[in-house]
Amino acid sequence: MDKFWRKLEKVVSRSKPEDPPEELRKKLPTLPPGTDWEDLGIDPADMDYDDLRRMVRMQQRAGPGDSFFDFFMMNRHRNRHPFGDPTTTKQKPAQKMMDPTQIQKAWRLPTLVAPDEFQDEPVPMETEEETEVTLIQSDSVLYRVKEKTADGSLKIHSLLKMMSAIPDSMLAKGNTQTKHRASSTFNLFMGDVSGSMSSFWPSVVTGWNAHIRPNLVGRTSIMTFGSRVTTKRSGSTSDCYEITERDFDGTCTDLTGALQTIVEEVYKCKEKFINVFFITDGGHNETRCQPDEAIEKMKAPAGKICDVFVLGAGNGFPVQYSVNIRSRLHNGRANLPTIFWAKEEYNDDMEQQMKDIAGYLGQTGGSNTINLSVPGNILPFNSSQNSFHLNEYVYFDKAPEELQEISVEVGKRKGKMQLDTKNADVDLYLNEVFRQWNGMLIQIHTKKETIPPEIVPFMERLFNTVMDEMKDKSATSIKSRLASKETKGYEVNFQTLMNTIKNILTNESFSNDLELARNILSTTVTANKYAEKTLRMKGHTGEEFDVDMKEFKDVLNREKSNLMKIVVPAEDCCRVTITSTVSDLKDDDINDLLELNKYDFLKTFTISGIPIFSPLRDSAMINPWIYSIRRILKSPYTIVSQVVLENMTTANPNSVDVQSKGVKLQANDEETCFNAIIPVFPPNVAPLMKNFMRTKIYAMCCTFAILKNPHIIDYNVHMAALGIAWVRILFENPVQPRPEYVRYRIKCIEATAAQYSERPSFAKYRDLLKENTNQAIMTESTVEIDGSTLKCESLVKPMFILHMAVQAKQITENVTIKNIVKTILVEYIGRCLSNNLKRDNDSVNKTTYSDYFTESFTDQENISQDVKKYIDEIKAKLAVNEDNLLKVFYFEEQCRKAAEKATKEVVDLHYVELSSDIPIKINTRKVNQLRNVSACGDVSWASLKTFAKEVGLSESDVAEIFSDENIFLYVAHSFRYTSSRERLETPLPDYIKCVEEITKKVKEESSKDIIKSLSEKLLKEMVNSWLNAYTEAHAGLVEPMTKSQIIQEARAKEIDVNEENFEQVYKRYRPSVGLMGNACQQRSCPWFLQPMKTYNEHSSTERRNANFPHGLHITSKRHCTADIRTISNKIVEGEGRKSDKPTTLERLAELDLLHLKNSYMQMAI
């Protein structure tokens, strides 16, 4: 467009006058209805010849009036001058035309056009002529609502679920639902086509055309907004409803222009019913007029019914703006969700949201209104009304018996409803009614209107009343838990709902838009619309679950007699519920529990075990052996069940980690926070559970308890988690004897894992570990088991399998155990290092031999005598010492450059000495810090040492394989071979030859590093010495000086200055504060009063100090007649300060402000 405007300007400037101004004014284009030139900041009568000629030429190029208006608006949104570039020399003064920001800021609500008369418009009953009342059939339902009041009495209210469609008997003869709406419906699509929407737009097109377009009736306008708001198509035919890929242009985001246009379209249309579809993914970035300025002016269109569907895309959409426009413009159905949200770009999320929106359209095609003969409320305690929309819930402060004669009317037709009365239940409240009420509360709150204070307590009383009735019917044991599970679930859902709405109503702002979106969605969108997608079982279908459950039941029937003999003491049960996996299986009502659907079964069946906190990661879903544990709960919470976790995992104050779903058993104790359970059985029970542990249902329960994923079954996750927990215990408890509960916990882990030891995959791996250790431990060996290549995903696997084999006396030879442990150590270092060596190969900061085989100067705490010697040599070259550093160098950079040059000369002189005297020694500190969870599992060097002792190696064996000499070999071997297979197929090198080779490598690569390190230290020492001298010399307060004082003292220092040349010598002297801008005024500084061009560099060293009191002298001079406290407060407040660095009273207390104050008072005399 820039090129276009330049060309247009050239064409106009080269043209000759064609018509007189009066004729030109007659050719002014026609603006759209509801818009005048004043709205655009233009007065045609005030335009001169050139302005009008440009307008005519624009009209000729743009076409009819509306096209010109779009053309004009396009350039207003692109921040262009409407009739040319105001910066050109031939353009008239820019103030004659308002820029796009000014235009948007001047925007006001347009004149509201009244809708055309609607054929079936309801009229108040008292104004209507008496018509016959017929009995109509509908799906309306009347609910009895019970409320137990504070005094214990029971009060009865009613809820009416409005019909989902107007009965045909109440429509005009020959009319249908579609015809009924088509004559007075306007649909407005406003879609974001900015660049960031590119990944969403294809699914917007698909979703709209497939789901929403077929449900539209009446007139439709398809509009888009990027850098401009554009009408793509408009009309009442099917092709006008379509959205295409070509509608996307990928520019900026004029959100303000889009919102203003939506309001303008709604206000100027003549239709009664309006559906607005607003889709966006990002905030406003086109003009300086923010959307909230337009939103504040918005009002719902009186006399029209407007449903606003707001659909956010991705994680950056402007939730608050979206909620605000919906709340201010929407006056249609109360049960319409506040916002819809497509979170993901590359799946079906956007299309699913479109489908959900179409579901609301499909109910009625829009918001039909029906009059009731009895006034009711959309929201209790709010104003009552007679007119309601289809599918809404209407509240009456009356019992159902008082509403049996209620009638409805549409236009001039009346009908009496035949109503069935039902009791309102908890599902109705949670999934329908409360969400409608919450949506209304959000809308009232957003519009800053008064919220009925009684509404939230009223909702709580209704919920508690129905819950009390449910609890009275509860039974005991599993049956009791099933009932308790149901009631507990309702309680959790209700508290979540209430906490969320309270959070929205009390928070003026959220930390980010996504937090607000999650709160809005969880509160106002009907839960079961999203439940199917959220709980859909992936990877383990319902049919598979049914088959697997049949297998589990068969095992249960076969093992029932053995189960009944098991006695599980309380200490082996969940510390909260006092239940266990075994107690559930023994329960008489276990079959009822097994009849639950998959998800409810996973949440309700007790899986008892070790409570842990794990940072849940997607990679652990693929490879469970790299699962990691950050915390294992301690006594008394040694055993907990996943039932407790599921009941507590809600959006309440106990929730500590939204991503990892961690909850605290004790609200104020971080150490009781857990998010997963590792199932274990007592040692005497575990062998009896072997057949259960082999079932797919138990594997599914373990997967859910450990990974929190109900969609997959991982047959290795339980064994892997047991091993990882065991390694974690070794890490936390390296010293024997361990606490009693820890010893028992290890026994339970060992007993449970033993039930998997003969599983073919684990047994074959154990045998390979014993017979061909290297192949068993490499990441991907050449050995195949059952047709698959063997992999060692994590070193936890061979560690735990070896431990279990030693416990079972399947591996007993000390030499074999020692070899396996040693191989694990080599591979651990190799896996940790290989990642860095490969990644850093071309990096400046790559891992080097000197990192692990030398002790560099940077590792020493104190400077050696050699370093001190080098510093003395540098000072000698610079002809300086501690006393004269500041005399030689005026500012820091001057000192630094001289020191760099001298340092290089000194280091070059000692190069041979430095490069030949490099001590070769394994850096054990670096080895201890090695860690790579993704390659090695949750293992550390310290836990490996404890593991070596745990598998039975003697102290001498452990000392040998962890000796500096062997570690030297492990690291050197890992540097040479970064591939696991090469590393383990090649024997370790001879130590003496290895040291020789490493010495050579270190000398090749590390002499430069050591010299660099030494040079940096020498340079730092020199600069610090200068800084210390500078700080000492400038510790006092700078005294202001008069001109005569400066001349007197400067001449005493043999500086050639007098009254005549003072301004040439001290060019930047400020007499008002007695300070110079080109000479230091610190009397203890050797550069005192010396005029220098580089004074700023000298003084910046002090000014950049965090404690430097900026504005001190200016403020002290200004208030020198005041007391010290007043002066201090003014300085702290920032008076006279240009810097944004504050000064504290504590800092000022260290300065002699009284002396400074007196100096200024003396200067004023």
Side-chain angles (χ1 to χ4, degrees), residues 777-797:
I777 294 178
M778 64 180 61
T779 53
E780 187 169 352
S781 75
T782 57
V783 175
E784 289 189 355
I785 294 181
D786 298 332
S788 299
T789 301
L790 180 69
K791 295 181 180 180
C792 180
E793 307 94 328
S794 156
L795 295 180
V796 173
K797 183 175 180 179

Side-chain angles (χ1 to χ4, degrees), residues 198-415:
S198 59
S199 56
F200 281 105
W201 191 254
S203 54
V204 170
V205 173
T206 303
W208 174 273
N209 292 332
H211 303 296
I212 296 180
R213 179 185 176 191
N215 286 288
L216 297 178
V217 296
R219 183 172 67 92
T220 298
S221 283
I222 303 297
M223 305 184 80
T224 61
F225 68 100
S227 291
R228 60 172 291 192
V229 179
T230 307
T231 301
K232 295 296 183 180
R233 56 198 65 86
S234 183
S236 301
T237 58
S238 179
D239 58 334
C240 294
Y241 300 168
E242 184 183 14
I243 297 176
T244 70
E245 296 272 5
R246 296 187 303 277
D247 293 334
F248 186 81
D249 65 18
T251 53
C252 296
T253 310
D254 186 7
L255 187 57
T256 301
L259 299 186
Q260 291 175 349
T261 304
I262 288 173
V263 176
E264 290 165 358
E265 292 293 317
V266 168
Y267 268 55
K268 76 179 184 181
C269 76
K270 295 186 177 182
E271 287 84 358
K272 170 77 173 181
F273 303 105
I274 304 163
N275 294 313
V276 174
F277 306 93
F278 178 56
I279 302 177
T280 184
D281 78 326
H284 178 75
N285 60 13
E286 179 65 18
T287 68
R288 296 185 304 278
C289 179
Q290 294 303 312
D292 45 18
E293 296 186 39
I295 292 171
E296 285 296 321
K297 301 175 185 177
M298 290 182 183
K299 291 182 181 178
K304 300 178 182 180
I305 297 173
C306 183
D307 278 342
V308 180
F309 298 85
V310 176
L311 174 50
N315 291 328
F317 83 103
V319 182
Q320 190 63 64
Y321 289 151
S322 302
V323 173
N324 286 349
I325 184 175
R326 193 268 187 194
S327 297
R328 289 182 175 274
L329 198 59
H330 177 91
N331 63 359
R333 285 170 288 174
N335 60 348
L336 197 66
T338 303
I339 55 174
F340 296 83
W341 186 13
K343 304 181 186 68
E344 301 295 333
E345 303 175 43
Y346 300 108
N347 59 19
D348 298 333
D349 216 2
M350 177 63 75
E351 192 165 346
Q352 179 63 43
Q353 299 303 309
M354 293 282 196
K355 188 175 181 181
D356 292 338
I357 291 173
Y360 284 97
L361 289 173
Q363 294 172 3
T364 65
S367 287
N368 276 296
T369 54
I370 298 178
N371 270 15
L372 296 179
S373 59
V374 179
N377 304 78
I378 289 296
L379 180 69
F381 310 107
N382 212 14
S383 57
S384 60
Q385 60 193 68
N386 288 89
S387 181
F388 300 95
H389 301 291
L390 299 176
N391 283 303
E392 287 182 338
Y393 284 89
V394 183
Y395 165 80
F396 300 93
D397 191 16
K398 298 180 179 181
E401 291 75 17
E402 301 177 65
L403 299 171
Q404 292 303 314
E405 298 299 318
I406 193 169
S407 60
V408 299
E409 59 179 12
V410 178
K412 297 182 179 181
R413 285 162 292 282
K414 292 184 182 179

Side-chain angles (χ1 to χ4, degrees), residues 118 260 311 356 435 505 535 679 688 860 922 924 1127:
F118 183 46
Q260 291 175 349
L311 174 50
D356 292 338
R435 294 179 183 274
L505 299 183
L535 304 180
L688 300 174
Q860 300 176 18
I922 188 65
T924 54
I1127 295 173

Side-chain angles (χ1 to χ4, degrees), residues 430-566:
L430 292 181
N431 294 331
E432 302 288 343
V433 178
F434 287 174
R435 294 179 183 274
Q436 173 181 306
W437 292 355
N438 283 349
M440 289 295 299
L441 289 174
I442 291 171
Q443 185 166 5
I444 293 171
H445 173 68
T446 303
K447 295 194 304 185
K448 299 180 181 180
E449 297 175 353
T450 302
I451 292 175
E454 309 95 328
I455 183 62
V456 173
F458 180 64
M459 293 165 71
E460 291 173 341
R461 290 195 298 274
L462 296 187
F463 177 79
N464 291 334
T465 302
V466 74
M467 289 303 296
D468 287 343
E469 291 183 352
M470 287 186 65
K471 290 176 181 177
D472 291 342
K473 300 175 183 178
S474 296
T476 59
S477 64
I478 274 190
K479 191 173 292 185
S480 172
R481 181 139 38 90
L482 290 173
S484 176
K485 172 202 74 81
E486 191 175 27
T487 57
K488 183 66 177 178
Y490 287 137
E491 288 170 349
V492 166
N493 289 340
F494 177 71
Q495 289 304 323
T496 301
L497 199 68
M498 288 296 98
N499 288 335
T500 304
I501 191 63
K502 289 175 183 176
N503 194 30
I504 294 171
L505 299 183
T506 55
N507 266 11
E508 288 302 321
S509 62
F510 286 80
S511 61
N512 56 62
D513 270 1
L514 297 186
E515 181 188 356
L516 175 59
R518 294 186 187 100
N519 278 275
I520 293 288
L521 285 169
S522 65
T523 303
T524 64
V525 175
T526 302
N528 56 18
K529 290 183 71 63
Y530 298 91
E532 179 182 352
K533 182 177 180 181
T534 304
L535 304 180
R536 189 182 300 141
M537 299 299 101
K538 299 178 181 178
H540 189 231
T541 64
E543 291 78 8
E544 290 171 327
F545 174 71
D546 293 339
V547 172
D548 296 340
M549 182 56 77
K550 183 177 184 304
E551 174 211 11
F552 187 80
K553 291 177 181 177
D554 292 341
V555 174
L556 177 63
N557 291 331
R558 290 198 304 268
E559 299 290 329
K560 194 71 174 180
S561 59
N562 292 330
L563 279 172
M564 301 310 293
K565 298 174 185 178
I566 299 175

